[in-house]
Amino acid sequence: MSLRKANVAILVAAVVVFLLVLHRNFLGLSDFLRRELTDSNPLGLQPIDFIPAVPQRLMDERNDKEIAVVIAASEERLGGAIAAMNSIYHNTKSNVVFYIVTLNDTVDHLRLWLSNTALKNLRYRILDFDPRVLEGKVQVDPQKADPLKPLTFARFYLPSLVPHAEKAIYVDDDVVVQDDILELYNTPLKPGHAAAFSDDCDSTTNKVAVRGAGNQYNYIGFLDYKKETIRKLAMKANTCSFNPGVFVANLTEWKLQNITKQLEKWMTLNVAEELYSRTLAGSITTPPLLIVFYKQHSSIDPMWNVRHLGSSAGKRYSPQFVKAAKLLHWNGHFKPWGRTASYAEVWEKWYVPDPTGKFSLIRRHSEAYEAK
């Protein structure tokens, strides 16, 4: 009998030890997963706030599937981001969530603008971008009058901005949307492609090609083909470039291919070797995208990125064509909230006045836009 009791005691002790070990391992796994979630965002991409709910009446009218739209919002261009989001929101019944990337000193102004105007029903998340994430990756050119704009690089970090989404749309702040953003979101991407862009040589661009632009719409306009590092890539210099101001991203594929790390690699190499062209395009965000996505990207409908409205070329568009465009893009020197820009009155329809009065329109009216 005493032997049986001893065996039972040993069995009970073994069970207790097993449960203790199992409990400890579970806690260790939970801690590991917690660290993984905490460390998933790079430096500076921290959520500030999130508005998760909208009135039930609006929810009943809108589709349940979340569409992530990423947009950068700098203080001096905040009115542009506001107009872009307003145009997207009012032209869709889809469940759009805006991921607004900004700098810390703009957060209060942005939140006030969103909460005290007609935009108060927007679903959004504000993300604070710390410029230190770009240290060693961007070289400031002292010959250029314009200071470095760190938010232009936010598009490189999409998986960290929207970590739980499989797909996302990125748009610049100088656009307005005139159709349902769901159509752009549903752009088919070929297998293995992490993004879809609008090529600079598409039919829409050709209609208003700037005379004398030369290589501005080819790879040689953005990259220095005199550098051995560029030549070794065997990319054809006359390859048509694409515009990264509007694109659709497959974030699952983006993460699988480690696109962000690839982009950072070329940013760092440019600091050391000056690989970007200085003569034509002058962009510091487009060249690394062109390298990483060389012949490895899908295309969006060109009507979803009708550009050049911020240059003299935009004046060649007819009012009928502008009305038919699904997305208007004021890329170029002239913005619709500042100097004279083509069809700026179309943009102004979507502008929501700043309740603080800090942002004001200083532009002069351009040609009248007739909605016929």
Side-chain angles (χ1 to χ4, degrees), residues 317-334:
Y317 290 132
S318 69
Q320 293 77 17
F321 180 73
V322 170
K323 182 180 180 181
K326 298 178 180 181
L327 182 148
L328 297 170
H329 190 178
W330 279 266
N331 63 313
H333 293 294
F334 306 113

mmCIF file of all heavy atoms in Angstrom, residues 317-334:
data_model
loop_
_atom_site.group_PDB
_atom_site.id
_atom_site.type_symbol
_atom_site.label_atom_id
_atom_site.label_comp_id
_atom_site.label_asym_id
_atom_site.label_seq_id
_atom_site.Cartn_x
_atom_site.Cartn_y
_atom_site.Cartn_z
ATOM 1 N N TYR A 317 -5.062 70.436 -71.320
ATOM 2 C CA TYR A 317 -6.218 69.567 -71.116
ATOM 3 C C TYR A 317 -7.503 70.347 -71.379
ATOM 4 O O TYR A 317 -7.645 71.503 -70.979
ATOM 5 C CB TYR A 317 -6.257 69.045 -69.689
ATOM 6 C CG TYR A 317 -5.190 68.046 -69.324
ATOM 7 C CD1 TYR A 317 -4.460 68.191 -68.144
ATOM 8 C CD2 TYR A 317 -4.918 66.942 -70.120
ATOM 9 C CE1 TYR A 317 -3.486 67.283 -67.781
ATOM 10 C CE2 TYR A 317 -3.955 66.025 -69.769
ATOM 11 C CZ TYR A 317 -3.241 66.202 -68.612
ATOM 12 O OH TYR A 317 -2.278 65.289 -68.258
ATOM 13 N N SER A 318 -8.459 69.690 -72.003
ATOM 14 C CA SER A 318 -9.768 70.316 -72.217
ATOM 15 C C SER A 318 -10.610 70.156 -70.955
ATOM 16 O O SER A 318 -10.397 69.231 -70.163
ATOM 17 C CB SER A 318 -10.480 69.653 -73.393
ATOM 18 O OG SER A 318 -10.861 68.321 -73.063
ATOM 19 N N PRO A 319 -11.579 71.044 -70.739
ATOM 20 C CA PRO A 319 -12.474 70.898 -69.578
ATOM 21 C C PRO A 319 -13.187 69.553 -69.568
ATOM 22 O O PRO A 319 -13.417 68.969 -68.502
ATOM 23 C CB PRO A 319 -13.458 72.054 -69.750
ATOM 24 C CG PRO A 319 -12.703 73.076 -70.536
ATOM 25 C CD PRO A 319 -11.828 72.295 -71.471
ATOM 26 N N GLN A 320 -13.535 69.042 -70.753
ATOM 27 C CA GLN A 320 -14.220 67.759 -70.828
ATOM 28 C C GLN A 320 -13.309 66.620 -70.353
ATOM 29 O O GLN A 320 -13.746 65.699 -69.660
ATOM 30 C CB GLN A 320 -14.684 67.484 -72.268
ATOM 31 C CG GLN A 320 -15.775 68.420 -72.764
ATOM 32 C CD GLN A 320 -15.253 69.813 -73.150
ATOM 33 O OE1 GLN A 320 -14.048 70.003 -73.348
ATOM 34 N NE2 GLN A 320 -16.156 70.768 -73.249
ATOM 35 N N PHE A 321 -12.036 66.701 -70.718
ATOM 36 C CA PHE A 321 -11.091 65.669 -70.304
ATOM 37 C C PHE A 321 -10.852 65.721 -68.803
ATOM 38 O O PHE A 321 -10.794 64.690 -68.125
ATOM 39 C CB PHE A 321 -9.766 65.832 -71.052
ATOM 40 C CG PHE A 321 -8.733 64.806 -70.678
ATOM 41 C CD1 PHE A 321 -8.854 63.498 -71.103
ATOM 42 C CD2 PHE A 321 -7.649 65.151 -69.891
ATOM 43 C CE1 PHE A 321 -7.909 62.541 -70.763
ATOM 44 C CE2 PHE A 321 -6.694 64.212 -69.541
ATOM 45 C CZ PHE A 321 -6.822 62.896 -69.978
ATOM 46 N N VAL A 322 -10.738 66.922 -68.257
ATOM 47 C CA VAL A 322 -10.540 67.091 -66.820
ATOM 48 C C VAL A 322 -11.724 66.536 -66.049
ATOM 49 O O VAL A 322 -11.571 65.880 -65.011
ATOM 50 C CB VAL A 322 -10.307 68.576 -66.475
ATOM 51 C CG1 VAL A 322 -10.351 68.811 -64.970
ATOM 52 C CG2 VAL A 322 -8.965 69.036 -67.035
ATOM 53 N N LYS A 323 -12.919 66.771 -66.559
ATOM 54 C CA LYS A 323 -14.122 66.261 -65.902
ATOM 55 C C LYS A 323 -14.149 64.735 -65.926
ATOM 56 O O LYS A 323 -14.604 64.093 -64.968
ATOM 57 C CB LYS A 323 -15.361 66.819 -66.582
ATOM 58 C CG LYS A 323 -16.666 66.379 -65.930
ATOM 59 C CD LYS A 323 -17.869 66.970 -66.655
ATOM 60 C CE LYS A 323 -19.170 66.521 -66.004
ATOM 61 N NZ LYS A 323 -20.357 67.062 -66.717
ATOM 62 N N ALA A 324 -13.637 64.124 -66.998
ATOM 63 C CA ALA A 324 -13.658 62.667 -67.139
ATOM 64 C C ALA A 324 -12.567 61.979 -66.329
ATOM 65 O O ALA A 324 -12.663 60.779 -66.055
ATOM 66 C CB ALA A 324 -13.517 62.284 -68.610
ATOM 67 N N ALA A 325 -11.535 62.715 -65.944
ATOM 68 C CA ALA A 325 -10.424 62.120 -65.193
ATOM 69 C C ALA A 325 -10.916 61.583 -63.849
ATOM 70 O O ALA A 325 -11.763 62.188 -63.186
ATOM 71 C CB ALA A 325 -9.330 63.154 -64.976
ATOM 72 N N LYS A 326 -10.361 60.457 -63.440
ATOM 73 C CA LYS A 326 -10.747 59.853 -62.163
ATOM 74 C C LYS A 326 -9.913 60.393 -61.008
ATOM 75 O O LYS A 326 -10.376 60.432 -59.868
ATOM 76 C CB LYS A 326 -10.632 58.330 -62.262
ATOM 77 C CG LYS A 326 -11.564 57.757 -63.324
ATOM 78 C CD LYS A 326 -11.423 56.259 -63.480
ATOM 79 C CE LYS A 326 -12.380 55.752 -64.553
ATOM 80 N NZ LYS A 326 -12.317 54.291 -64.730
ATOM 81 N N LEU A 327 -8.691 60.800 -61.308
ATOM 82 C CA LEU A 327 -7.838 61.435 -60.305
ATOM 83 C C LEU A 327 -7.012 62.505 -60.997
ATOM 84 O O LEU A 327 -6.359 62.238 -62.016
ATOM 85 C CB LEU A 327 -6.922 60.399 -59.628
ATOM 86 C CG LEU A 327 -6.002 60.906 -58.507
ATOM 87 C CD1 LEU A 327 -5.787 59.820 -57.445
ATOM 88 C CD2 LEU A 327 -4.639 61.365 -59.039
ATOM 89 N N LEU A 328 -7.036 63.713 -60.453
ATOM 90 C CA LEU A 328 -6.262 64.835 -60.977
ATOM 91 C C LEU A 328 -5.058 65.078 -60.079
ATOM 92 O O LEU A 328 -5.188 65.102 -58.851
ATOM 93 C CB LEU A 328 -7.128 66.096 -61.049
ATOM 94 C CG LEU A 328 -8.339 66.019 -61.988
ATOM 95 C CD1 LEU A 328 -9.246 67.234 -61.787
ATOM 96 C CD2 LEU A 328 -7.899 65.919 -63.447
ATOM 97 N N HIS A 329 -3.897 65.275 -60.700
ATOM 98 C CA HIS A 329 -2.639 65.365 -59.949
ATOM 99 C C HIS A 329 -1.904 66.641 -60.351
ATOM 100 O O HIS A 329 -1.481 66.788 -61.492
ATOM 101 C CB HIS A 329 -1.793 64.126 -60.253
ATOM 102 C CG HIS A 329 -0.603 63.976 -59.377
ATOM 103 N ND1 HIS A 329 0.267 62.903 -59.476
ATOM 104 C CD2 HIS A 329 -0.099 64.749 -58.369
ATOM 105 C CE1 HIS A 329 1.226 63.018 -58.577
ATOM 106 N NE2 HIS A 329 1.027 64.133 -57.907
ATOM 107 N N TRP A 330 -1.731 67.546 -59.389
ATOM 108 C CA TRP A 330 -1.047 68.814 -59.631
ATOM 109 C C TRP A 330 0.448 68.684 -59.338
ATOM 110 O O TRP A 330 1.015 69.494 -58.611
ATOM 111 C CB TRP A 330 -1.674 69.929 -58.792
ATOM 112 C CG TRP A 330 -2.927 70.490 -59.383
ATOM 113 C CD1 TRP A 330 -3.054 71.577 -60.186
ATOM 114 C CD2 TRP A 330 -4.262 70.001 -59.199
ATOM 115 N NE1 TRP A 330 -4.367 71.799 -60.535
ATOM 116 C CE2 TRP A 330 -5.147 70.832 -59.931
ATOM 117 C CE3 TRP A 330 -4.801 68.926 -58.492
ATOM 118 C CZ2 TRP A 330 -6.514 70.638 -59.972
ATOM 119 C CZ3 TRP A 330 -6.174 68.719 -58.542
ATOM 120 C CH2 TRP A 330 -7.015 69.569 -59.269
ATOM 121 N N ASN A 331 1.084 67.652 -59.906
ATOM 122 C CA ASN A 331 2.530 67.563 -59.728
ATOM 123 C C ASN A 331 3.191 68.654 -60.566
ATOM 124 O O ASN A 331 2.717 69.023 -61.631
ATOM 125 C CB ASN A 331 3.041 66.175 -60.117
ATOM 126 C CG ASN A 331 2.817 65.854 -61.584
ATOM 127 O OD1 ASN A 331 1.724 66.063 -62.114
ATOM 128 N ND2 ASN A 331 3.835 65.323 -62.250
ATOM 129 N N GLY A 332 4.291 69.164 -60.094
ATOM 130 C CA GLY A 332 4.933 70.293 -60.746
ATOM 131 C C GLY A 332 5.100 71.436 -59.763
ATOM 132 O O GLY A 332 4.813 71.319 -58.568
ATOM 133 N N HIS A 333 5.570 72.568 -60.241
ATOM 134 C CA HIS A 333 5.892 73.699 -59.365
ATOM 135 C C HIS A 333 4.656 74.431 -58.855
ATOM 136 O O HIS A 333 4.687 75.042 -57.784
ATOM 137 C CB HIS A 333 6.796 74.692 -60.102
ATOM 138 C CG HIS A 333 8.150 74.143 -60.411
ATOM 139 N ND1 HIS A 333 9.068 73.821 -59.438
ATOM 140 C CD2 HIS A 333 8.734 73.840 -61.604
ATOM 141 C CE1 HIS A 333 10.169 73.361 -59.999
ATOM 142 N NE2 HIS A 333 9.998 73.358 -61.306
ATOM 143 N N PHE A 334 3.569 74.413 -59.608
ATOM 144 C CA PHE A 334 2.411 75.217 -59.256
ATOM 145 C C PHE A 334 1.327 74.370 -58.593
ATOM 146 O O PHE A 334 0.807 73.424 -59.191
ATOM 147 C CB PHE A 334 1.851 75.908 -60.505
ATOM 148 C CG PHE A 334 2.877 76.696 -61.254
ATOM 149 C CD1 PHE A 334 3.286 76.299 -62.514
ATOM 150 C CD2 PHE A 334 3.455 77.823 -60.692
ATOM 151 C CE1 PHE A 334 4.244 77.012 -63.209
ATOM 152 C CE2 PHE A 334 4.408 78.548 -61.375
ATOM 153 C CZ PHE A 334 4.815 78.153 -62.638
#
